[in-house]
Amino acid sequence: MINIYDDLNKLEATFRETEQYKALEIAIEEVKKDESAVALFSNFRKMQMTLQEKQANGEELNEDELQYAQKTAQLAQQNEKINAMLLSEMALSGIIEEVNRVLIKPVQSLYDGIQETK
C-alpha cells in the first residue's frame, strides 16, 4: 500500500532546504530584530486580514479603508527589511505553485478526452 504522507514529509524536508526557503527564513529573522519593522508588518497584516474578511463576506470597502490600505502597504514596502521579506516570500511562492502544478497534473489528465460532442 502506498503511503503518500511519507513522500509529503520528504518533500517538506526538501522544501526547507531550498535556497528560497532559507532566504525567507533569514529575511523574517531580520524583520524580527527590528521593533519598528515588526510593528509596521503587524499593522500591514491586520489590515490585509480585515480587507480579506470584508471581501469574503461580500462587504464593500469604503474610500477611507482603501486609502488606509494603500498607505499601509506603501509604508511596509518602503521598509527595506519588510520589502526583502516580501520578495523572498514571492520567490518561495513560485516553488509552491510549481509543486501544485505537478501534483494536479494526474488529475487533469483524467479529464483529458472528455469533450462535448455535437
Side-chain angles (χ1 to χ4, degrees):
M1 185 166 140
I2 295 174
N3 185 352
I4 195 168
Y5 297 103
D6 290 341
D7 291 332
L8 289 173
N9 288 327
K10 289 176 192 172
L11 179 59
E12 178 195 3
T14 301
F15 181 73
R16 290 175 184 270
E17 294 300 318
T18 64
E19 180 182 314
Q20 294 86 346
Y21 181 87
K22 289 181 178 192
L24 178 58
E25 191 173 39
I26 291 167
I28 289 172
E29 286 305 316
E30 289 302 311
V31 168
K32 287 180 178 180
K33 292 177 188 176
D34 183 335
E35 286 182 31
S36 64
V38 168
L40 185 56
F41 185 71
S42 178
N43 193 31
F44 174 69
R45 291 281 295 178
K46 284 180 197 172
M47 180 269 309
Q48 276 187 319
M49 299 300 269
T50 300
L51 293 180
Q52 287 174 357
E53 187 177 309
K54 284 188 169 209
Q55 288 176 334
N57 291 331
E59 297 176 37
E60 289 193 29
L61 306 174
N62 64 45
E63 188 62 33
D64 288 342
E65 289 172 317
L66 289 173
Q67 285 181 2
Y68 177 73
Q70 288 174 338
K71 286 179 184 176
T72 304
Q74 285 174 347
L75 285 173
Q77 290 172 343
Q78 288 173 357
N79 181 288
E80 187 177 305
K81 292 175 182 174
I82 293 173
N83 192 48
M85 182 179 67
L86 295 174
L87 290 173
S88 294
E89 183 181 332
M90 284 178 20
L92 189 60
S93 292
I95 292 176
I96 293 168
E97 289 171 17
E98 182 61 25
V99 167
N100 189 46
R101 276 193 292 275
V102 170
L103 290 175
I104 203 68
K105 207 181 290 186
V107 175
Q108 288 175 332
S109 70
L110 291 174
Y111 289 99
D112 288 350
I114 296 179
Q115 52 187 317
E116 187 176 334
T117 57
K118 291 187 179 184

